[in-house]
DNA sequence: GTCTATAGAACGATAGAC
DNA sequence: GTCTATCGTTCTATAGAC
């Protein structure tokens, strides 16, 4: 009997391989080899490669998005007139994601690399899978952001949301390059420091004069 | 005789397929089918799939990066003491890229989607390929940026460069989502408008108080 | 639930005729 | 420079023993 059950071992191995070599770059055989399970086990437990991807995603995204909402609601409860300051909202949005993306117990950064890849995947099934996971978060954060940025015209609002996602996704997905480029000056393993810097960059960008 | 030669047809087809389905998700057979050339032609002209990718990249990146440098040098020539204002530098960096990424004659946005994908590709050969293409640009833009942001401590400087790349890459790679999310309010086909908004977001972020 | 064995298809790459 | 033909490999998926 293995210490960790087959299903979890398959999910762990898949997460690492999908992140490292892409979904289409990862064969079922590579997953079963890494997970040290039989080739047929993956079909028994999940049915198909795509279903494995779905499980890999929801395992991390469901608790992550729940934490985002919990943080936002906590800030709203403490606020006056339900208007939360912009830095707090951004922190609730990017903080949990960066913490997951650095926690070795939760994929050790690889899960967020995977997510960064999937955002650009045009496959419809993958896209609807992601959209469903993020719909609730978007619906809750958008009104809060609008309240915190009352003077911003709609086009600027959505464009800046777009830029925000880009800065966040790139930071989550790529923690190696920053170390190389900066010659070791930047330490991506200091998660709270990274969050602070990213939040202040985004907040300034969101509040820029048009 | 075809109107466009075989080599170019292979590059065009590869660009579209690599961008849409990823490099490992694209088979040589799919490329030759789309390009309407013989299966063996790709090996005759390029030798391997990887060599095709290299040609796809350099075909766009060499003129693109040359234009970036030309713009920066022009701004420096017009400036006092060689200190170019931050918005101009950012414009020289992201402007040419966004213009290429929207020009239907230059891949029609697909090339930049491909680039967005490749940034997260851990394959060493792909990474060194990209690094080589961007080395000159980085070496020229870094000193200009440092001069334009004299008070910024090094760690903040490199982190914000990282966030900049993320916002830029995401904007280049994904021009469909913004339309959906904004309900049609944002028009990514208005390239100069997009550049203006992106530059003002990035400039504000770069100049944020620590 | 876990294994072996294998079917059936698609893959990258090349040899050799024209 | 372009074609056909094919080698050897790897893939997903499944059938059936235990």
């Amino acid at each position: 009997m293995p210490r960790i059950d087959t299903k979890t071992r398959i999910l762990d191995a898949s997460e690492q391989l999908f992140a490292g070599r892409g979904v289409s770059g990862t064969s079922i055989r590579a997953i079963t080899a890494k997970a040290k399970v039989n080739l047929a086990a993956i079909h028994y437990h999940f049915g198909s490669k795509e279903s494995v991807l779905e499980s890999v995603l929801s395992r991390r995204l469901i608790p992550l998005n729940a934490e985002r909402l919990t943080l936002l609601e906590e800030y709203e409860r403490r606020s006056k007139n339900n208007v939360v300051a912009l830095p707090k909202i951004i922190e609730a949005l990017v903080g949990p994601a960066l913490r997951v993306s650095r926690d070795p117990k939760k994929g050790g950064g690889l899960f967020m690399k995977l997510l960064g890849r999937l955002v650009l995947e045009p496959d419809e099934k993958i896209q609807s899978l992601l959209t469903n996971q993020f719909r609730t978060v978007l619906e809750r954060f958008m009104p809060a952001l609008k309240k915190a940025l009352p003077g911003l015209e709609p086009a600027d609002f959505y464009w800046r949301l777009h830029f925000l996602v880009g800065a966040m996704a790139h930071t989550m997905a790529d923690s190696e390059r920053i170390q190389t480029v900066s010659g070791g000056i930047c330490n991506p393993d200091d998660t709270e420091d990274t969050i602070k810097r990213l939040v202040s960059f985004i907040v300034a960008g969101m509040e820029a004069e048009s």
Side-chain angles (χ1 to χ4, degrees), chain A residues 70-89:
Chain A
T70 304
L71 273 179
L72 181 62
E73 276 159 22
E74 198 183 307
Y75 291 144
E76 283 181 341
R77 221 179 307 114
R78 290 188 200 164
S79 71
K80 286 181 182 178
N81 309 329
N82 254 12
V83 180
V84 185
L86 187 60
K88 289 284 178 192
I89 302 174

Side-chain angles (χ1 to χ4, degrees), chain A residues 101-123:
Chain A
S101 83
R102 298 287 187 271
D103 188 341
K105 288 176 189 167
K106 291 175 183 168
L110 288 176
F111 174 68
M112 285 298 147
K113 194 160 190 164
L114 170 58
L115 213 53
R117 277 174 177 280
L118 293 181
V119 167
L120 297 182
E121 206 74 41
D123 185 293

Side-chain angles (χ1 to χ4, degrees), chain A residues 36-160:
Chain A
K36 284 173 187 154
V37 300
N38 186 271
L39 178 59
I42 207 163
H43 289 104
Y44 176 79
H45 285 288
F46 295 94
S48 71
K49 194 171 145 182
E50 185 188 289
S51 166
V52 174
L53 174 63
E54 193 174 331
S55 296
V56 166
L57 286 182
S58 54
R59 178 170 69 148
R60 306 277 184 224
L61 282 184
I62 289 174
L64 164 58
N65 285 334
E67 204 193 327
R68 283 171 158 158
L69 295 178
T70 304
L71 273 179
L72 181 62
E73 276 159 22
E74 198 183 307
Y75 291 144
E76 283 181 341
R77 221 179 307 114
R78 290 188 200 164
S79 71
K80 286 181 182 178
N81 309 329
N82 254 12
V83 180
V84 185
L86 187 60
K88 289 284 178 192
I89 302 174
I90 305 295
E91 215 276 340
L93 194 63
V94 309
L98 256 80
R99 285 184 199 106
V100 163
S101 83
R102 298 287 187 271
D103 188 341
K105 288 176 189 167
K106 291 175 183 168
L110 288 176
F111 174 68
M112 285 298 147
K113 194 160 190 164
L114 170 58
L115 213 53
R117 277 174 177 280
L118 293 181
V119 167
L120 297 182
E121 206 74 41
D123 185 293
E124 278 184 27
K125 285 179 183 175
I126 291 177
Q127 283 311 313
S128 70
L129 217 130
L130 285 181
T131 308
N132 287 335
Q133 292 279 4
F134 284 109
R135 181 168 296 127
T136 320
V137 172
L138 207 67
E139 280 171 1
R140 280 290 287 115
F141 272 79
M142 291 252 295
L145 281 168
K146 280 185 181 166
K147 271 188 240 170
L149 292 161
L152 206 55
E153 59 152 324
D156 262 326
F157 179 80
Y158 288 109
W159 271 115
R160 289 176 187 187

